[in-house]
Amino acid sequence: MSTTPVTVIKGDGIGPDIVDSALRILEALDPGLDYEEVQVGQAALDAGASDVMPEAAIASIERTGLVLKGPVTTPSGKGYRSVNVAMRKKFDLYANVRPTLSMPGTRSRYEGLDIITVRENKGGMYSGEGQTVSEDGTRAEALSVITREQCERIIRFAFEMARSRGRRKVTLAHKANIMKSTSGLFLDVGREIAQEYDDLEHDEIIVDACAMKLVMYPEQFDVIVTTNLFGDIISDLCAGLIGGLGLAPGANIGENCAMFEAVHGSAPDIAGKGIANPTSVVLASALLLEHIGRREDAERIRRAVRAAVADHDRVTPDLGGDGTTSSFTDAVIERL
């Protein structure tokens, strides 16, 4: 049987532990993946690399087009670029997809939520353009730049994803009432593209009202598509609605490459203690399987994780248990 090559970045902090958990679960399924492990970020520097994105890592990702990634620390200090931002730009990963699905047995205020945030991943306030500070330190500037092409790509991606997954509605979150140029362009393009999808409900909402309604009436949302900065904030808010970042996976998708990752940090305070919750990267591995057409395997992982959490079986301390990363992984594997 042919295998699908996947680049694995374990990261640092709790990264190696939780990525090993995901790999154990994938191996139990045996979906035909072939792993190439590389290092980036602080782990790469510690191993003797001169850059946070070594050429060996870039070559592997270009070869496989698929990445499973744990949390990666960008070293402090001038001259070191953000690894996440560098990877999104290098491999044109223009769409950030953040599903948030309620899990029975977790500490959260809501039940039955199933919201996907689709975030434009390269432009806007995170484009990195025009960042300056005056010599006297009294004035700082940054440019927000977004193009019609970026708007069209991300909004069409959101509608196509919604259609392919049988979703019902796409909501455009914007700030066009104030940011009339950048958010105005995003909203105009969104209205144009929405007309091509008469099988899907479409609405639009100012982003601050979106945040308020997500807290008050989150069940009214299905798929939210928005720009880079707003998407960063909204996707974390949605994760908070279901119990936190430890339960929410992320995907960064481009035309020729896709990266699936834990969306939380490297948690150095619990690194090496064996108590990190691997759910985020385990669910990210399910997104990877779905991306390559292994939907049943992806669903098996999701069902097993949800069942283990609902049964409170060997769950980690953040979920109110006294289990370890390894014991929780065992609980999930037993339910596959």
Side-chain angles (χ1 to χ4, degrees), residues 171-178 204-212:
T171 298
L172 275 77
H174 65 91
K175 193 63 177 174
N177 57 323
I178 303 297
E204 54 197 50
I205 188 170
I206 295 172
V207 68
D208 40 331
C210 179
M212 179 186 70

Side-chain angles (χ1 to χ4, degrees), residues 74-97:
T74 297
S76 300
K78 295 181 178 180
Y80 290 116
R81 41 188 185 147
S82 164
V83 173
N84 289 331
V85 172
M87 292 180 72
R88 290 167 191 164
K89 290 187 175 182
K90 174 68 178 177
F91 301 106
D92 194 24
L93 304 176
Y94 67 90
N96 180 238
V97 180

Side-chain angles (χ1 to χ4, degrees), residues 103-124:
M103 286 196 189
T106 58
R107 298 170 179 171
S108 60
R109 295 180 180 272
Y110 303 97
E111 297 178 355
L113 298 185
D114 185 1
I115 303 169
I116 302 175
T117 305
V118 178
R119 163 191 172 196
E120 201 287 317
N121 223 6
K122 297 179 64 183

Side-chain angles (χ1 to χ4, degrees), residues 39 105 335:
Q39 293 176 320
R335 288 165 171 80

Side-chain angles (χ1 to χ4, degrees), residues 18-19 21-23 25-26 68 249 262 277-287 301-302 305 328-329 332:
I18 63 173
V19 173
S21 170
L23 294 178
I25 292 168
L26 287 170
L68 180 64
N277 179 2
T279 298
S280 179
V281 75
V282 170
L283 293 178
S285 73
L287 292 177
I301 289 177
R302 293 188 186 109
V305 170
F328 178 68
T329 304
V332 172

Side-chain angles (χ1 to χ4, degrees), residues 159 169-174 187 194 200-205 220-221 223 225:
F159 275 94
K169 180 172 72 171
V170 177
T171 298
L172 275 77
H174 65 91
L187 181 58
L200 291 169
E201 184 182 349
H202 151 252
D203 65 357
E204 54 197 50
I205 188 170
Q220 70 181 264
F221 293 95
V223 176
V225 60

Side-chain angles (χ1 to χ4, degrees), residues 233-271:
I233 297 166
I234 289 296
S235 58
D236 274 20
L237 190 159
C238 287
L241 300 177
I242 64 162
L245 293 176
L247 302 173
N252 299 275
I253 298 174
E255 298 296 336
N256 301 305
C257 183
M259 178 173 67
F260 304 87
E261 62 183 347
V263 297
H264 54 72
S266 57
D269 56 319
I270 61 169

